[in-house]
Amino acid sequence: MDLLPLRVEHAAEMALVLGDPVLHEFIGGAPLTAGALRERYARLAAGSPDPAVVWCNWVLRLRGDGALVGTVQATVTPARDTAELAWVIGTPWQGRGFATEAARAVTAWLADLPVGLLIAHVHPDHHASAAVAAACGFAPTPHREDGEIRWQHRPTAPPGTGA
């Protein structure tokens, strides 16, 4: 699988990938049309309006058939030494390890920057997403935000950073 920087041109295919209403049971909202997703992707591609925050968004493409299967994102706040991660895999591709592969890649990339604290928010009943977080080294905390459990991971500092 390849992680490709999110582009507006991905909207039409991603509308199909993210179009199953069941997918939104834990993440909220409803499926967006290709047009609405195109507008959303244009905003995301333009970057955060807050210069202290960096938005990193990727689509996940299978190497074999080139199909897009989901997204992974990180919202990085360098001044706070934190990044918040999220992942979504289209219903037909769930259960194949794609979310774990993508989240591990982004977790490793963030650790290499380095970012000191990684955060993910997981619905308490979303066991598959909790398994992804655990596989990436995150642990649940007592903190709740909008009904979701805050998971955290403090990556080991790369050699030579002095941390």
Side-chain angles (χ1 to χ4, degrees):
M1 180 174 53
D2 293 314
L3 276 65
L4 305 174
L6 179 97
R7 294 191 333 246
V8 173
E9 295 79 21
H10 295 128
E13 186 173 355
M14 288 304 298
L16 298 172
V17 171
L18 304 174
D20 184 352
V22 172
L23 182 63
H24 299 267
E25 179 181 344
F26 294 119
I27 64 174
L32 296 176
T33 65
L37 207 52
R38 197 170 11 268
E39 290 175 13
R40 176 174 168 72
Y41 286 3
R43 286 190 307 275
L44 291 173
S48 172
D50 181 347
V53 175
V54 179
W55 290 345
C56 305
N57 296 278
W58 299 270
V59 293
L60 313 177
R61 182 181 68 192
L62 296 181
R63 288 191 180 139
D65 63 12
L68 299 181
V69 299
T71 64
V72 64
Q73 64 188 51
T75 300
V76 184
T77 309
R80 285 196 248 149
D81 197 25
T82 63
E84 294 199 31
L85 280 73
W87 47 85
V88 179
I89 303 296
T91 307
W93 299 278
Q94 291 178 1
R96 299 187 199 178
F98 298 138
T100 299
E101 182 180 345
R104 278 183 174 159
V106 173
T107 296
W109 176 72
L110 290 165
D112 284 346
L113 285 180
V115 174
L117 178 63
L118 308 182
I119 299 166
H121 294 93
V122 178
H123 188 282
D125 295 328
H126 199 317
H127 305 294
S129 207
V132 170
C136 293
F138 288 74
T141 71
H143 182 74
R144 301 291 185 271
E145 187 172 318
D146 295 327
E148 294 183 322
I149 299 169
R150 178 178 172 153
W151 289 62
Q152 292 184 174
H153 173 51
R154 291 193 183 275
T156 305
T161 62

